[in-house]
Amino acid sequence: MGLKRGVQNGPEAWAPSSSGSVSGVMSSAVELSDAVCLLGRFPALAGVTLAVGFGMQHLPEGLEGPTIQMIGEVLVWISLALGAVHGLKAAWRSVRRFKPNIDVLMVVGAGLAAWIDHPEEGALLLFLFTLAGALEHRAMARARDAVSRLNKLMPKAALVYVDGDWTEADPEQLAAGDLV
């Protein structure tokens, strides 16, 4: 049984196809490179700017100053914006279809955190959410690759014991109880 591409996200993304072929399974190199790009760009950059900005805002006494505090706050807001890049796009698609999902919830949560003057908490929320999405994307790509490789291992013919003799048969023609 093969797979076909269904909806864009979620566990329903890969559903069994009736044709028996693997359609919609992209090469693992393309999928993994997509995951690495997503993993390398937004979550990493948002995480680094958040860590540096938060660190600059919470320096020990004697090292802090108004300029360093301001730079730290700007970096936290930049981290929030970087984390919101993916979330806002996904949330907008969801709202346009009148089907709110977790993307909308995360963007609203991060926006409200920023509104109550805690942008670092909103940035951390979006950083972790984007990182989780990138890791999920990578795991799905690896799973699709594994299914594709398993499908290639499926034998083209099977030996079936019928009436005291071994006969070659198509694997899809086998029934429960056949002696193979």
Side-chain angles (χ1 to χ4, degrees), residues 88-101 104:
L88 283 171
K89 283 191 239 179
W92 178 246
R93 280 192 305 261
S94 173
V95 168
R96 271 193 343 229
R97 293 183 197 136
F98 297 105
K99 293 183 180 179
N101 60 16
V104 175

Side-chain angles (χ1 to χ4, degrees), residues 107-162:
V107 169
V108 168
L112 289 174
W115 186 55
I116 62 170
D117 203 27
H118 288 280
E120 63 278 351
E121 292 177 14
L124 181 62
L125 175 72
L126 291 176
F127 163 68
L128 292 175
F129 184 64
T130 308
L131 179 63
L135 293 174
E136 178 186 10
H137 182 78
R138 182 175 184 267
M140 287 296 293
R142 291 181 70 175
R144 282 191 296 270
D145 182 52
V147 168
S148 175
R149 285 185 283 135
L150 281 173
N151 191 42
K152 289 177 186 174
L153 294 176
M154 189 171 79
K156 304 291 183 221
L159 291 177
V160 182
Y161 191 73
V162 178

Side-chain angles (χ1 to χ4, degrees), residues 16-140:
S17 73
S18 57
S19 67
S21 66
V22 178
S23 61
V25 177
M26 301 175 82
S27 74
S28 63
V30 171
E31 288 293 323
L32 286 177
S33 69
D34 287 349
V36 168
C37 284
L38 183 60
L39 187 60
R41 268 187 217 146
F42 298 114
L45 194 53
V48 168
T49 55
L50 176 62
V52 171
F54 188 79
M56 290 176 82
Q57 287 180 326
H58 296 86
L59 288 172
E61 283 196 35
L63 295 176
E64 82 262 356
T67 305
I68 291 177
Q69 288 278 337
M70 188 179 74
I71 292 171
E73 190 165 334
V74 167
L75 287 174
V76 166
W77 282 99
I78 289 172
S79 174
L80 182 66
L82 288 172
V85 167
H86 168 72
L88 283 171
K89 283 191 239 179
W92 178 246
R93 280 192 305 261
S94 173
V95 168
R96 271 193 343 229
R97 293 183 197 136
F98 297 105
K99 293 183 180 179
N101 60 16
I102 190 72
D103 295 313
V104 175
L105 181 65
M106 291 296 140
V107 169
V108 168
L112 289 174
W115 186 55
I116 62 170
D117 203 27
H118 288 280
E120 63 278 351
E121 292 177 14
L124 181 62
L125 175 72
L126 291 176
F127 163 68
L128 292 175
F129 184 64
T130 308
L131 179 63
L135 293 174
E136 178 186 10
H137 182 78
R138 182 175 184 267
M140 287 296 293

